[in-house]
């Protein structure tokens, strides 16, 4: 089989090749027209037993530069080669327009995303994993107007540490709980709790600022980090890690006890372990040993698969991953391994 450009891109990026043929679901549609609101993962789930392997069979027509990006109105057609190997052809309507010479800017930024943007957008912009003293030298809320000590949206306050920083907008944070490896007890980082946003009204050694939005109460001493003006939502290309993966879920977003599809988890693997955006991880539950009623000994239960997650933001020692699918509740200290 002549490999599609999408599969070549994955192979060259260092993802391992798979000897097993990609399995097509028996009830997959022969044809599917992409709609607004679709995601690549959702479409791939209609066709494939392992939807994260879609780059292996995504095929393009001549003239489609990037088969990873598909758009509402594109037609997907299920195909097979003479040897029976599967493929998904992307058909796009071609329009012929006569142009006169002039400078043009052509943008096509409405491609459907890999995963739902609203599930991760807040985590791309706001939450941080920092070193233990990472906020110690950041700008901070020094005083409230008219002596206020508890602040919220539209309150004016005064800040220190803003002078000389080229930014008019700031995110406000408070140090959160430490992230610790459950086996080695290594300190992995400190989650910074996002409190809201503020803008500079009058810069100076003691800057006058206004809170433009808040998610919880803001107090004196809370820290401020310059805000990124524009966060681009990446198009993640799902692929397996090239190296063996053996980590843990060390936290679940929003401090909940259990997680499920489209929730963010924090895993004990980061850039130093080779984690990349788009890495797909299998989540497993390790059940405790149970008593063997026949022998009186114990029965060791093998790890049980619980779901899949995709890494979308990588720090040095931990990563954020989105649970894509699960067949049971996901818990803190569940394992993450190769898919």
């Amino acid at each position: 089989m002549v490999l599609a450009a999408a599969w070549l891109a994955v192979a060259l990026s260092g993802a391992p090749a798979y000897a097993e043929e990609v399995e097509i679901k028996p009830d997959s549609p022969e044809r599917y027209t992409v709609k607004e609101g679709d995601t690549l993962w959702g479409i791939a789930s209609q066709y494939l037993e392992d939807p994260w392997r879609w780059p292996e069979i995504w095929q393009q027509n001549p003239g489609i530069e990037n088969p990873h990006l598909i758009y509402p109105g594109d037609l997907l057609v299920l195909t097979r080669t003479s040897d029976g190997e599967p493929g998904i052809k992307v058909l796009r309507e071609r329009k012929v327009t006569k142009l006169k010479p002039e400078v043009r800017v052509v943008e096509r930024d409405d491609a459907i995303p890999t995963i739902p943007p609203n599930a991760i957008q807040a985590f791309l912009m706001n939450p941080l994993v920092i070193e233990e003293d990472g906020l110690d030298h950041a700008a901070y809320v020094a005083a409230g107007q008219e002596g206020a000590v508890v602040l919220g949206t539209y309150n004016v306050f005064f800040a220190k540490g803003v002078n000389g920083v080229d930014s008019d907008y700031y995110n406000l944070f408070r140090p959160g709980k430490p992230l610790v490896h459950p086996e080695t007890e290594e300190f992995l980082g400190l989650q910074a709790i996002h409190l809201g946003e503020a803008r500079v009204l009058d810069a100076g050694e003691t800057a006058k600022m206004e809170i433009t939005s808040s998610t919880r109460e803001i107090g004196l001493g809370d820290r401020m980090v310059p805000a990124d003006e524009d966060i681009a939502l990446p198009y993640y290309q799902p692929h397996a890690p090239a190296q063996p993966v053996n980590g843990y879920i060390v936290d679940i977003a929003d401090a909940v006890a259990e997680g499920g599809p489209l929730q963010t988890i924090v895993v004990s693997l980061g850039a130093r372990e080779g984690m990349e955006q788009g890495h797909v991880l299998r989540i497993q539950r390790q059940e405790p040993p149970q008593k063997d009623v026949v022998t009186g000994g114990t029965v060791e239960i093998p790890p049980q698969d619980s779901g899949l997650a995709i890494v979308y933001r990588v720090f040095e020692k931990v990563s954020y991953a989105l649970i894509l699918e699960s067949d049971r509740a996901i818990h803190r200290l569940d394992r993450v391994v190769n898919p």
Side-chain angles (χ1 to χ4, degrees), residues 290-330:
Q290 298 183 23
K291 184 178 180 180
D292 190 323
V293 297
V294 175
T295 67
T298 58
V299 179
E300 297 291 337
I301 309 296
Q304 300 296 298
D305 291 346
S306 298
L308 292 174
I310 186 170
V311 174
Y312 67 84
R313 189 173 182 186
V314 179
F315 300 92
E316 179 61 23
K317 298 179 183 179
V318 298
S319 299
Y320 289 157
L322 186 73
I323 301 172
L324 294 167
E325 55 187 60
S326 64
D327 53 17
R328 65 174 75 187
I330 304 299

mmCIF file of all heavy atoms in Angstrom, residues 290-330:
data_model
loop_
_atom_site.group_PDB
_atom_site.id
_atom_site.type_symbol
_atom_site.label_atom_id
_atom_site.label_comp_id
_atom_site.label_asym_id
_atom_site.label_seq_id
_atom_site.Cartn_x
_atom_site.Cartn_y
_atom_site.Cartn_z
ATOM 1 N N GLN A 290 -7.321 -9.677 45.721
ATOM 2 C CA GLN A 290 -8.493 -10.190 46.411
ATOM 3 C C GLN A 290 -8.184 -11.570 47.001
ATOM 4 O O GLN A 290 -7.277 -12.266 46.541
ATOM 5 C CB GLN A 290 -9.679 -10.274 45.448
ATOM 6 C CG GLN A 290 -10.099 -8.924 44.881
ATOM 7 C CD GLN A 290 -11.328 -9.025 43.994
ATOM 8 O OE1 GLN A 290 -12.117 -9.969 44.125
ATOM 9 N NE2 GLN A 290 -11.499 -8.054 43.111
ATOM 10 N N LYS A 291 -8.930 -11.931 47.984
ATOM 11 C CA LYS A 291 -8.695 -13.210 48.648
ATOM 12 C C LYS A 291 -9.138 -14.358 47.762
ATOM 13 O O LYS A 291 -10.218 -14.325 47.164
ATOM 14 C CB LYS A 291 -9.443 -13.250 49.974
ATOM 15 C CG LYS A 291 -9.172 -14.525 50.768
ATOM 16 C CD LYS A 291 -9.887 -14.509 52.109
ATOM 17 C CE LYS A 291 -9.607 -15.786 52.889
ATOM 18 N NZ LYS A 291 -10.301 -15.792 54.206
ATOM 19 N N ASP A 292 -8.292 -15.368 47.667
ATOM 20 C CA ASP A 292 -8.613 -16.596 46.937
ATOM 21 C C ASP A 292 -9.352 -17.512 47.897
ATOM 22 O O ASP A 292 -8.768 -18.024 48.869
ATOM 23 C CB ASP A 292 -7.334 -17.258 46.429
ATOM 24 C CG ASP A 292 -7.622 -18.405 45.469
ATOM 25 O OD1 ASP A 292 -8.616 -19.128 45.696
ATOM 26 O OD2 ASP A 292 -6.838 -18.582 44.509
ATOM 27 N N VAL A 293 -10.647 -17.733 47.648
ATOM 28 C CA VAL A 293 -11.470 -18.507 48.585
ATOM 29 C C VAL A 293 -11.141 -19.986 48.558
ATOM 30 O O VAL A 293 -11.522 -20.737 49.467
ATOM 31 C CB VAL A 293 -12.969 -18.299 48.273
ATOM 32 C CG1 VAL A 293 -13.364 -16.847 48.477
ATOM 33 C CG2 VAL A 293 -13.306 -18.755 46.855
ATOM 34 N N VAL A 294 -10.421 -20.438 47.511
ATOM 35 C CA VAL A 294 -10.069 -21.854 47.419
ATOM 36 C C VAL A 294 -8.756 -22.146 48.135
ATOM 37 O O VAL A 294 -8.648 -23.042 48.966
ATOM 38 C CB VAL A 294 -9.986 -22.303 45.950
ATOM 39 C CG1 VAL A 294 -9.490 -23.746 45.843
ATOM 40 C CG2 VAL A 294 -11.337 -22.168 45.266
ATOM 41 N N THR A 295 -7.721 -21.355 47.809
ATOM 42 C CA THR A 295 -6.394 -21.612 48.372
ATOM 43 C C THR A 295 -6.135 -20.854 49.663
ATOM 44 O O THR A 295 -5.207 -21.173 50.406
ATOM 45 C CB THR A 295 -5.306 -21.242 47.355
ATOM 46 O OG1 THR A 295 -5.315 -19.825 47.165
ATOM 47 C CG2 THR A 295 -5.541 -21.941 46.035
ATOM 48 N N GLY A 296 -6.918 -19.830 49.916
ATOM 49 C CA GLY A 296 -6.670 -19.002 51.076
ATOM 50 C C GLY A 296 -5.632 -17.922 50.835
ATOM 51 O O GLY A 296 -5.365 -17.112 51.719
ATOM 52 N N GLY A 297 -5.030 -17.933 49.640
ATOM 53 C CA GLY A 297 -4.044 -16.916 49.286
ATOM 54 C C GLY A 297 -4.714 -15.684 48.697
ATOM 55 O O GLY A 297 -5.832 -15.323 49.087
ATOM 56 N N THR A 298 -4.028 -15.043 47.758
ATOM 57 C CA THR A 298 -4.580 -13.854 47.119
ATOM 58 C C THR A 298 -4.622 -14.034 45.609
ATOM 59 O O THR A 298 -3.843 -14.821 45.029
ATOM 60 C CB THR A 298 -3.746 -12.603 47.441
ATOM 61 O OG1 THR A 298 -2.396 -12.823 47.014
ATOM 62 C CG2 THR A 298 -3.765 -12.313 48.934
ATOM 63 N N VAL A 299 -5.518 -13.310 44.993
ATOM 64 C CA VAL A 299 -5.640 -13.285 43.540
ATOM 65 C C VAL A 299 -5.158 -11.923 43.062
ATOM 66 O O VAL A 299 -5.738 -10.889 43.430
ATOM 67 C CB VAL A 299 -7.092 -13.509 43.091
ATOM 68 C CG1 VAL A 299 -7.193 -13.450 41.562
ATOM 69 C CG2 VAL A 299 -7.616 -14.827 43.618
ATOM 70 N N GLU A 300 -4.082 -11.901 42.278
ATOM 71 C CA GLU A 300 -3.566 -10.659 41.720
ATOM 72 C C GLU A 300 -4.368 -10.303 40.469
ATOM 73 O O GLU A 300 -4.387 -11.069 39.500
ATOM 74 C CB GLU A 300 -2.086 -10.793 41.365
ATOM 75 C CG GLU A 300 -1.187 -11.060 42.566
ATOM 76 C CD GLU A 300 -1.091 -9.869 43.494
ATOM 77 O OE1 GLU A 300 -1.338 -8.730 43.035
ATOM 78 O OE2 GLU A 300 -0.780 -10.071 44.688
ATOM 79 N N ILE A 301 -5.025 -9.166 40.494
ATOM 80 C CA ILE A 301 -5.855 -8.736 39.374
ATOM 81 C C ILE A 301 -4.985 -7.961 38.390
ATOM 82 O O ILE A 301 -4.331 -6.988 38.790
ATOM 83 C CB ILE A 301 -7.024 -7.852 39.836
ATOM 84 C CG1 ILE A 301 -7.789 -8.541 40.975
ATOM 85 C CG2 ILE A 301 -7.936 -7.506 38.669
ATOM 86 C CD1 ILE A 301 -8.456 -9.832 40.563
ATOM 87 N N PRO A 302 -4.938 -8.364 37.115
ATOM 88 C CA PRO A 302 -4.149 -7.589 36.144
ATOM 89 C C PRO A 302 -4.762 -6.210 35.920
ATOM 90 O O PRO A 302 -5.958 -6.016 36.156
ATOM 91 C CB PRO A 302 -4.215 -8.439 34.869
ATOM 92 C CG PRO A 302 -5.441 -9.271 35.021
ATOM 93 C CD PRO A 302 -5.594 -9.527 36.495
ATOM 94 N N PRO A 303 -3.954 -5.241 35.501
ATOM 95 C CA PRO A 303 -4.489 -3.897 35.236
ATOM 96 C C PRO A 303 -5.643 -3.952 34.237
ATOM 97 O O PRO A 303 -5.583 -4.676 33.233
ATOM 98 C CB PRO A 303 -3.289 -3.139 34.662
ATOM 99 C CG PRO A 303 -2.091 -3.882 35.164
ATOM 100 C CD PRO A 303 -2.508 -5.322 35.227
ATOM 101 N N GLN A 304 -6.688 -3.178 34.502
ATOM 102 C CA GLN A 304 -7.869 -3.154 33.658
ATOM 103 C C GLN A 304 -7.951 -1.828 32.917
ATOM 104 O O GLN A 304 -7.842 -0.754 33.523
ATOM 105 C CB GLN A 304 -9.124 -3.358 34.507
ATOM 106 C CG GLN A 304 -9.159 -4.658 35.270
ATOM 107 C CD GLN A 304 -9.183 -5.861 34.345
ATOM 108 O OE1 GLN A 304 -10.129 -6.034 33.568
ATOM 109 N NE2 GLN A 304 -8.148 -6.688 34.410
ATOM 110 N N ASP A 305 -8.168 -1.897 31.585
ATOM 111 C CA ASP A 305 -8.286 -0.679 30.777
ATOM 112 C C ASP A 305 -9.526 0.107 31.194
ATOM 113 O O ASP A 305 -10.601 -0.459 31.399
ATOM 114 C CB ASP A 305 -8.387 -1.016 29.293
ATOM 115 C CG ASP A 305 -7.086 -1.585 28.743
ATOM 116 O OD1 ASP A 305 -6.054 -1.471 29.439
ATOM 117 O OD2 ASP A 305 -7.099 -2.135 27.630
ATOM 118 N N SER A 306 -9.337 1.439 31.303
ATOM 119 C CA SER A 306 -10.444 2.301 31.698
ATOM 120 C C SER A 306 -10.819 3.320 30.633
ATOM 121 O O SER A 306 -11.947 3.795 30.601
ATOM 122 C CB SER A 306 -10.087 3.057 32.991
ATOM 123 O OG SER A 306 -9.874 2.166 34.056
ATOM 124 N N GLY A 307 -9.868 3.704 29.763
ATOM 125 C CA GLY A 307 -10.178 4.713 28.757
ATOM 126 C C GLY A 307 -8.931 5.202 28.054
ATOM 127 O O GLY A 307 -7.841 4.642 28.203
ATOM 128 N N LEU A 308 -9.112 6.265 27.263
ATOM 129 C CA LEU A 308 -8.023 6.885 26.520
ATOM 130 C C LEU A 308 -8.009 8.384 26.800
ATOM 131 O O LEU A 308 -9.050 8.997 27.051
ATOM 132 C CB LEU A 308 -8.197 6.669 25.006
ATOM 133 C CG LEU A 308 -8.051 5.255 24.463
ATOM 134 C CD1 LEU A 308 -8.406 5.235 22.979
ATOM 135 C CD2 LEU A 308 -6.636 4.726 24.668
ATOM 136 N N ALA A 309 -6.816 8.962 26.753
ATOM 137 C CA ALA A 309 -6.658 10.410 26.927
ATOM 138 C C ALA A 309 -5.633 10.921 25.930
ATOM 139 O O ALA A 309 -4.756 10.174 25.481
ATOM 140 C CB ALA A 309 -6.214 10.741 28.358
ATOM 141 N N ILE A 310 -5.745 12.195 25.553
ATOM 142 C CA ILE A 310 -4.794 12.807 24.633
ATOM 143 C C ILE A 310 -4.110 13.980 25.344
ATOM 144 O O ILE A 310 -4.762 14.808 25.976
ATOM 145 C CB ILE A 310 -5.479 13.279 23.326
ATOM 146 C CG1 ILE A 310 -4.437 13.789 22.328
ATOM 147 C CG2 ILE A 310 -6.552 14.314 23.594
ATOM 148 C CD1 ILE A 310 -5.016 14.047 20.936
ATOM 149 N N VAL A 311 -2.790 14.017 25.261
ATOM 150 C CA VAL A 311 -2.007 15.087 25.875
ATOM 151 C C VAL A 311 -2.157 16.356 25.039
ATOM 152 O O VAL A 311 -1.981 16.329 23.824
ATOM 153 C CB VAL A 311 -0.522 14.685 25.973
ATOM 154 C CG1 VAL A 311 0.321 15.856 26.467
ATOM 155 C CG2 VAL A 311 -0.357 13.478 26.888
ATOM 156 N N TYR A 312 -2.465 17.487 25.701
ATOM 157 C CA TYR A 312 -2.613 18.725 24.938
ATOM 158 C C TYR A 312 -1.777 19.881 25.473
ATOM 159 O O TYR A 312 -1.639 20.905 24.809
ATOM 160 C CB TYR A 312 -4.086 19.144 24.845
ATOM 161 C CG TYR A 312 -4.740 19.557 26.136
ATOM 162 C CD1 TYR A 312 -4.619 20.854 26.618
ATOM 163 C CD2 TYR A 312 -5.503 18.653 26.872
ATOM 164 C CE1 TYR A 312 -5.238 21.245 27.796
ATOM 165 C CE2 TYR A 312 -6.119 19.027 28.049
ATOM 166 C CZ TYR A 312 -5.987 20.323 28.511
ATOM 167 O OH TYR A 312 -6.584 20.712 29.685
ATOM 168 N N ARG A 313 -1.199 19.744 26.660
ATOM 169 C CA ARG A 313 -0.303 20.777 27.168
ATOM 170 C C ARG A 313 0.770 20.108 28.017
ATOM 171 O O ARG A 313 0.454 19.305 28.901
ATOM 172 C CB ARG A 313 -1.071 21.814 27.983
ATOM 173 C CG ARG A 313 -0.217 23.038 28.349
ATOM 174 C CD ARG A 313 -1.043 24.127 29.010
ATOM 175 N NE ARG A 313 -0.226 25.294 29.300
ATOM 176 C CZ ARG A 313 -0.639 26.367 29.983
ATOM 177 N NH1 ARG A 313 -1.893 26.413 30.433
ATOM 178 N NH2 ARG A 313 0.160 27.382 30.208
ATOM 179 N N VAL A 314 2.037 20.456 27.738
ATOM 180 C CA VAL A 314 3.153 19.758 28.364
ATOM 181 C C VAL A 314 3.986 20.741 29.187
ATOM 182 O O VAL A 314 4.389 21.797 28.696
ATOM 183 C CB VAL A 314 4.049 19.084 27.302
ATOM 184 C CG1 VAL A 314 5.233 18.381 27.954
ATOM 185 C CG2 VAL A 314 3.238 18.091 26.467
ATOM 186 N N PHE A 315 4.243 20.381 30.436
ATOM 187 C CA PHE A 315 5.178 21.098 31.290
ATOM 188 C C PHE A 315 6.417 20.224 31.469
ATOM 189 O O PHE A 315 6.524 19.151 30.881
ATOM 190 C CB PHE A 315 4.529 21.429 32.633
ATOM 191 C CG PHE A 315 3.293 22.283 32.513
ATOM 192 C CD1 PHE A 315 2.027 21.709 32.415
ATOM 193 C CD2 PHE A 315 3.387 23.663 32.495
ATOM 194 C CE1 PHE A 315 0.887 22.488 32.301
ATOM 195 C CE2 PHE A 315 2.248 24.464 32.381
ATOM 196 C CZ PHE A 315 1.011 23.876 32.279
ATOM 197 N N GLU A 316 7.352 20.645 32.295
ATOM 198 C CA GLU A 316 8.601 19.905 32.433
ATOM 199 C C GLU A 316 8.392 18.527 33.054
ATOM 200 O O GLU A 316 8.930 17.530 32.579
ATOM 201 C CB GLU A 316 9.606 20.703 33.276
ATOM 202 C CG GLU A 316 10.933 20.006 33.495
ATOM 203 C CD GLU A 316 11.684 19.722 32.203
ATOM 204 O OE1 GLU A 316 11.429 20.416 31.189
ATOM 205 O OE2 GLU A 316 12.519 18.808 32.206
ATOM 206 N N LYS A 317 7.575 18.451 34.112
ATOM 207 C CA LYS A 317 7.437 17.186 34.838
ATOM 208 C C LYS A 317 6.028 16.596 34.785
ATOM 209 O O LYS A 317 5.836 15.452 35.206
ATOM 210 C CB LYS A 317 7.840 17.384 36.305
ATOM 211 C CG LYS A 317 9.290 17.806 36.501
ATOM 212 C CD LYS A 317 9.594 18.013 37.973
ATOM 213 C CE LYS A 317 11.015 18.506 38.184
ATOM 214 N NZ LYS A 317 11.311 18.738 39.630
ATOM 215 N N VAL A 318 5.053 17.352 34.333
ATOM 216 C CA VAL A 318 3.681 16.861 34.227
ATOM 217 C C VAL A 318 3.073 17.341 32.916
ATOM 218 O O VAL A 318 3.630 18.211 32.239
ATOM 219 C CB VAL A 318 2.800 17.339 35.402
ATOM 220 C CG1 VAL A 318 3.331 16.820 36.727
ATOM 221 C CG2 VAL A 318 2.688 18.858 35.420
ATOM 222 N N SER A 319 1.928 16.781 32.572
ATOM 223 C CA SER A 319 1.202 17.196 31.366
ATOM 224 C C SER A 319 -0.289 17.223 31.667
ATOM 225 O O SER A 319 -0.783 16.482 32.524
ATOM 226 C CB SER A 319 1.467 16.228 30.208
ATOM 227 O OG SER A 319 2.832 16.187 29.866
ATOM 228 N N TYR A 320 -1.002 18.085 30.913
ATOM 229 C CA TYR A 320 -2.457 18.055 30.916
ATOM 230 C C TYR A 320 -2.905 17.141 29.774
ATOM 231 O O TYR A 320 -2.406 17.225 28.656
ATOM 232 C CB TYR A 320 -3.050 19.440 30.675
ATOM 233 C CG TYR A 320 -2.893 20.429 31.808
ATOM 234 C CD1 TYR A 320 -2.944 21.795 31.560
ATOM 235 C CD2 TYR A 320 -2.725 20.010 33.125
ATOM 236 C CE1 TYR A 320 -2.818 22.713 32.585
ATOM 237 C CE2 TYR A 320 -2.597 20.922 34.143
ATOM 238 C CZ TYR A 320 -2.639 22.272 33.878
ATOM 239 O OH TYR A 320 -2.520 23.181 34.894
ATOM 240 N N ALA A 321 -3.881 16.279 30.079
ATOM 241 C CA ALA A 321 -4.441 15.403 29.053
ATOM 242 C C ALA A 321 -5.958 15.428 29.169
ATOM 243 O O ALA A 321 -6.508 15.576 30.272
ATOM 244 C CB ALA A 321 -3.913 13.977 29.205
ATOM 245 N N LEU A 322 -6.635 15.268 28.047
ATOM 246 C CA LEU A 322 -8.095 15.260 28.007
ATOM 247 C C LEU A 322 -8.578 13.824 27.877
ATOM 248 O O LEU A 322 -8.136 13.092 26.985
ATOM 249 C CB LEU A 322 -8.602 16.088 26.823
ATOM 250 C CG LEU A 322 -10.119 16.266 26.750
ATOM 251 C CD1 LEU A 322 -10.600 17.232 27.821
ATOM 252 C CD2 LEU A 322 -10.543 16.749 25.368
ATOM 253 N N ILE A 323 -9.473 13.417 28.769
ATOM 254 C CA ILE A 323 -10.070 12.083 28.658
ATOM 255 C C ILE A 323 -10.980 12.073 27.432
ATOM 256 O O ILE A 323 -11.926 12.857 27.340
ATOM 257 C CB ILE A 323 -10.883 11.732 29.922
ATOM 258 C CG1 ILE A 323 -9.990 11.763 31.158
ATOM 259 C CG2 ILE A 323 -11.531 10.356 29.770
ATOM 260 C CD1 ILE A 323 -10.763 11.615 32.467
ATOM 261 N N LEU A 324 -10.691 11.197 26.486
ATOM 262 C CA LEU A 324 -11.468 11.127 25.256
ATOM 263 C C LEU A 324 -12.612 10.139 25.373
ATOM 264 O O LEU A 324 -13.697 10.362 24.837
ATOM 265 C CB LEU A 324 -10.552 10.730 24.096
ATOM 266 C CG LEU A 324 -9.479 11.748 23.736
ATOM 267 C CD1 LEU A 324 -8.454 11.128 22.810
ATOM 268 C CD2 LEU A 324 -10.094 12.975 23.098
ATOM 269 N N GLU A 325 -12.359 9.034 26.033
ATOM 270 C CA GLU A 325 -13.404 8.030 26.205
ATOM 271 C C GLU A 325 -13.079 7.215 27.438
ATOM 272 O O GLU A 325 -11.909 7.068 27.811
ATOM 273 C CB GLU A 325 -13.512 7.121 24.975
ATOM 274 C CG GLU A 325 -12.210 6.441 24.591
ATOM 275 C CD GLU A 325 -12.327 5.690 23.282
ATOM 276 O OE1 GLU A 325 -12.620 6.320 22.253
ATOM 277 O OE2 GLU A 325 -12.106 4.456 23.290
ATOM 278 N N SER A 326 -14.099 6.698 28.090
ATOM 279 C CA SER A 326 -13.884 5.851 29.253
ATOM 280 C C SER A 326 -15.083 4.935 29.429
ATOM 281 O O SER A 326 -16.207 5.294 29.078
ATOM 282 C CB SER A 326 -13.676 6.692 30.517
ATOM 283 O OG SER A 326 -14.835 7.445 30.819
ATOM 284 N N ASP A 327 -14.840 3.740 29.965
ATOM 285 C CA ASP A 327 -15.935 2.815 30.226
ATOM 286 C C ASP A 327 -16.147 2.605 31.724
ATOM 287 O O ASP A 327 -16.893 1.722 32.138
ATOM 288 C CB ASP A 327 -15.707 1.478 29.526
ATOM 289 C CG ASP A 327 -14.356 0.867 29.854
ATOM 290 O OD1 ASP A 327 -13.735 1.300 30.853
ATOM 291 O OD2 ASP A 327 -13.919 -0.033 29.126
ATOM 292 N N ARG A 328 -15.458 3.424 32.523
ATOM 293 C CA ARG A 328 -15.653 3.444 33.969
ATOM 294 C C ARG A 328 -15.145 4.779 34.486
ATOM 295 O O ARG A 328 -14.495 5.520 33.757
ATOM 296 C CB ARG A 328 -14.916 2.282 34.640
ATOM 297 C CG ARG A 328 -13.412 2.394 34.496
ATOM 298 C CD ARG A 328 -12.700 1.313 35.298
ATOM 299 N NE ARG A 328 -12.809 0.023 34.652
ATOM 300 C CZ ARG A 328 -12.394 -1.112 35.187
ATOM 301 N NH1 ARG A 328 -11.884 -1.099 36.411
ATOM 302 N NH2 ARG A 328 -12.493 -2.237 34.542
ATOM 303 N N ALA A 329 -15.428 5.087 35.719
ATOM 304 C CA ALA A 329 -14.951 6.337 36.295
ATOM 305 C C ALA A 329 -13.427 6.330 36.381
ATOM 306 O O ALA A 329 -12.811 5.305 36.677
ATOM 307 C CB ALA A 329 -15.555 6.551 37.673
ATOM 308 N N ILE A 330 -12.822 7.486 36.099
ATOM 309 C CA ILE A 330 -11.373 7.647 36.160
ATOM 310 C C ILE A 330 -11.021 8.273 37.514
ATOM 311 O O ILE A 330 -11.670 9.219 37.949
ATOM 312 C CB ILE A 330 -10.872 8.550 35.016
ATOM 313 C CG1 ILE A 330 -11.330 7.991 33.654
ATOM 314 C CG2 ILE A 330 -9.361 8.702 35.062
ATOM 315 C CD1 ILE A 330 -10.818 6.617 33.327
#
